[in-house]
């Protein structure tokens, strides 16, 4: 790939902890998205980066998100039945 060495080290360190990851953005910042496996926390991911001696690991910010398994539900008025 064309990613910087620091990003390559990060992806290798996160690979065993994640179901997958993707590098978004273009130069000068970017964003590495990783879908962590069940039971793996952001703290676990940070520890893996620090253990891999990833340069700048202390500068990495972590953001959490959840996948909505139900999806969008639209109802009309008091009727609780979905459309």
């Amino acid at each position: 790939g064309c990613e910087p060495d620091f990003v390559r080290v990060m992806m290798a360190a996160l690979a065993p902890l994640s179901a997958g990851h993707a590098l978004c953005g273009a130069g000068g910042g970017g964003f590495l998205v990783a879908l962590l496996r069940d039971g793996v926390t952001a703290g676990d991911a940070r520890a893996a980066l620090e253990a891999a001696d990833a340069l700048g690991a202390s500068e990495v910010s972590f953001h959490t998100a959840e996948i909505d398994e139900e999806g969008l539900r639209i109802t009309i008025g008091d009727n609780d039945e979905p459309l």
Side-chain angles (χ1 to χ4, degrees):
C2 60
E3 64 276 341
D5 289 338
F6 166 65
V7 174
R8 205 169 298 122
V9 170
M10 283 181 29
M11 290 190 303
L14 294 174
L17 305 177
S18 67
H21 54 270
L23 187 59
C24 308
F31 204 88
L32 178 65
V33 177
L35 179 60
L36 300 178
R37 296 181 186 278
D38 284 340
V40 177
T41 67
D44 298 332
R46 182 177 294 281
L49 293 179
E50 291 171 356
D53 200 23
L55 296 174
S58 63
E59 301 296 321
V60 172
S61 63
F62 285 82
H63 307 272
T64 59
E66 295 180 18
I67 296 173
D68 183 354
E69 295 181 11
E70 183 179 329
L72 181 63
R73 181 180 169 113
I74 299 173
T75 60
I76 297 176
D78 293 332
N79 183 0
D80 198 27
E81 293 296 318
L83 294 176

